[in-house]
Amino acid sequence: MADLNVCFNCGGCETSAYNHTWHKKSSSLFRIDMHTHIMPSTLPDLSSYPTNSPEPPWINLKPNLHQPSKVDMYEGSRFFRTVEENCFDIPTRLAEMSTSGTDVQVLSAIPIFFFYDQPAEPVTILARHLNNHIASICTAHPTRFLGLATLPLQDIPASIAELRRAKSLGLNGIEIGTTIGHINLDDPLLHPLWEACQDLSMPVFVHPLGYSLPSENSARWSKYWSSWLIGMPCETALALHALICSGTLLKFPRLRLCFAHAGGAFPALLGRIQHGFNCRPDLVSTNAGGVTPTMHLKEGPNIWVDSLVHDADLLEYLCKKVGSKRIVMGSDYPFPLGEVPEPGEMLARGKDLSQFLSWRERAEMLAGNALVFLGLDKMEEWRDVFEEKWDAFSKSVVSSEDLGDIRGLRIKHSTPPEIPSPPSSL
């Protein structure tokens, strides 16, 4: 009896033989993974610089004693985590991308490298090193990688200088945390940065720093992976809440921000936040300029989110509240909490999605929306490859004898036919 969880036609996809052909078709759609992390295999020695910590906080990399291909990360002398080869080795990364059907990754630093609480001079050195590393990868593999810079945001003039340098290196935007030390993203101190990002057309990927929460309150955040599972989404929700209620986004209408992990807890809390906006404007909306949280999320020009929800029902809700055009595929590769080993699997192969998304909308979420967010949608070399893959996909579906394939392409709210049970001879 064959294992119906593994396709015996190719040995590579977790599906039955009856779904194999459809899997191959949907896997041909262009995929840009907006949310991936990378680090260099070596880091600058910052040990001679003063810090704001009792012990040196800088990241040290050491070979794992039991599996030398892996690397152990230490925050000063404290063990942080072990990372696989795919976090720093480009051939390994490219091989996994090809296996999983990922055409392009948008590279960004692991947020533990932000160090917003440390003196600006060593953090600027580290940021330049990280940005040079990502830029070198993008230059070596221009059709497979795009890059986001990290900035020493505790020093805004230095950050703007590094932003301009990152632009000159060919990087496509920046990655920042949900707070800058104790500064929230609505703080006027950040206005020059937002203006520079807007003027340079450098979009902003906002990623939380949940692993810092246990140091603030270990009893609350250390158990059950709570700082990652609960803390990170809450941090992102607070950042979005501050930017909307402060009117910051109205001051910078051309600023583009994408929030990791599907906007964190903010979309799920939207009804509560909107009600607070309405019933206590004295506390919530004094500076909001009359634009409600619901309007910002669905109609405003500033906000994108990634697709990392792990649940088709939540994705449907996100499409209703944010709109499919503002959702970009993001996996959090290469970390286990992400959509791995196949980034974009839900969008490319989730049969439940045909209830609320057309295949064209899925294709845009898999790649087209990221091109818009990154400002690459008008560049022929990117748009052409997207449209070529879409044309090949749509022709293969339309020419198929499977009526379900055609409905999945053309009728947004159609119900896919039941997949027949395999014959007993299998």
Side-chain angles (χ1 to χ4, degrees):
M1 188 76 174
D3 181 0
L4 295 179
N5 291 321
V6 177
C7 175
F8 49 78
N9 283 343
C10 72
C13 54
E14 294 186 358
T15 185
S16 70
Y18 279 82
N19 281 328
H20 173 81
T21 301
W22 179 246
H23 172 226
K24 288 181 69 177
K25 289 174 184 172
S26 59
S27 295
S28 69
L29 289 169
F30 195 45
R31 298 193 203 188
I32 299 176
D33 191 344
M34 183 66 212
H35 182 174
T36 78
H37 298 294
I38 197 167
M39 71 178 195
S41 57
T42 61
L43 295 168
D45 181 5
L46 302 176
S47 59
S48 63
Y49 289 90
T51 71
N52 296 331
S53 305
E55 297 183 9
W58 313 117
I59 299 298
N60 299 304
L61 305 178
K62 301 178 182 180
N64 184 276
L65 295 178
H66 304 290
Q67 295 178 281
S69 64
K70 299 181 181 181
V71 167
D72 291 337
M73 299 177 69
Y74 285 82
E75 192 176 5
S77 60
R78 183 180 68 86
F79 175 76
F80 174 60
R81 75 186 303 168
T82 299
V83 295
E84 309 274 348
E85 275 185 291
N86 54 12
C87 197
F88 54 86
D89 182 73
I90 300 306
T92 299
R93 202 175 187 99
L94 285 167
E96 292 188 357
M97 289 169 64
S98 295
T99 299
S100 67
T102 302
D103 296 281
V104 180
Q105 286 185 347
V106 182
L107 304 175
S108 59
I110 303 172
I112 199 171
F113 288 113
F114 289 164
F115 287 115
Y116 296 145
D117 59 340
Q118 297 300 324
E121 184 179 2
V123 178
T124 301
I125 293 170
L126 177 60
R128 290 174 66 92
H129 181 83
L130 297 172
N131 296 340
N132 289 345
H133 172 247
I134 290 178
S136 70
I137 297 169
C138 297
T139 299
H141 306 278
T143 64
R144 303 306 303 275
F145 297 112
L146 300 165
L148 304 180
T150 188
L151 304 177
L153 288 174
Q154 57 272 70
D155 184 334
I156 296 302
S159 291
I160 293 173
E162 183 60 17
L163 175 72
R164 295 184 184 281
R165 194 182 77 90
K167 179 79 171 182
S168 72
L169 292 174
L171 295 180
N172 306 94
I174 64 172
E175 178 197 31
I176 69 169
T178 49
T179 57
I180 315 303
H182 296 294
I183 297 174
N184 291 322
L185 298 189
D186 63 328
D187 196 299
L189 288 172
L190 295 173
H191 285 186
L193 175 71
W194 303 142
E195 185 174 7
C197 288
Q198 182 174 256
D199 291 346
L200 291 170
S201 191
M202 290 286 271
V204 182
F205 181 56
V206 183
H207 195 291
L209 298 166
Y211 46 73
S212 64
L213 292 171
S215 62
E216 299 174 14
N217 189 328
S218 180
R220 167 171 286 184
W221 293 111
S222 292
K223 295 173 68 176
Y224 316 123
W225 216 11
S226 297
S227 59
W228 259 263
L229 300 181
I230 308 298
M232 281 190 173
C234 290
E235 286 186 340
T236 305
L238 283 167
L240 256 168
H241 185 56
L243 286 167
I244 287 172
C245 294
S246 65
T248 299
L249 300 180
L250 302 181
K251 294 181 176 71
F252 304 99
R254 292 180 288 111
L255 180 65
R256 305 190 299 278
L257 302 109
C258 179
F259 293 84
H261 315 124
F266 190 88
L269 294 172
L270 182 59
R272 180 180 179 86
I273 294 167
Q274 181 64 55
H275 184 64
F277 188 95
N278 295 337
C279 74
R280 288 304 304 268
D282 56 316
L283 298 178
V284 181
S285 61
T286 302
N287 299 315
V291 181
T292 70
T294 301
M295 291 167 63
H296 268 293
L297 210 59
K298 189 64 182 282
E299 302 170 16
N302 306 98
I303 297 171
W304 278 256
V305 299
D306 74 22
S307 61
L308 193 56
V309 290
H310 303 288
D311 186 290
D313 292 336
L314 293 178
L315 185 63
E316 181 176 11
Y317 173 80
L318 207 62
C319 288
K320 289 178 179 178
K321 298 302 180 182
V322 181
S324 66
K325 292 184 180 298
R326 293 301 176 91
I327 302 172
V328 297
M329 192 270 278
S331 74
D332 212 354
Y333 175 97
F335 297 127
L337 196 51
E339 189 181 25
V340 292
E342 185 186 343
E345 178 181 8
M346 183 190 297
L347 286 170
R349 297 203 281 123
K351 60 182 181 181
D352 295 337
L353 273 59
S354 60
Q355 302 297 316
F356 59 93
L357 287 173
S358 68
W359 271 108
R360 180 67 187 198
E361 287 169 325
R362 292 203 210 193
E364 295 287 357
M365 292 164 72
L366 282 165
N369 296 345
L371 293 177
V372 174
F373 175 71
L374 294 168
L376 302 175
D377 55 309
K378 300 297 192 296
M379 297 180 66
E380 288 186 5
E381 60 266 35
W382 288 108
R383 199 71 207 185
D384 285 353
V385 69
F386 173 83
E387 294 296 347
E388 286 168 8
K389 285 210 160 194
W390 167 254
D391 288 345
F393 168 79
S394 58
K395 287 175 183 176
S396 72
V397 171
V398 170
S399 64
S400 170
E401 294 180 359
D402 185 347
L403 184 62
D405 288 359
I406 298 174
R407 284 178 177 168
L409 171 68
R410 292 184 170 176
I411 305 177
K412 183 174 179 180
H413 296 292
S414 63
T415 302
E418 291 293 324
I419 298 171
S421 301
S424 57
S425 61
L426 296 179

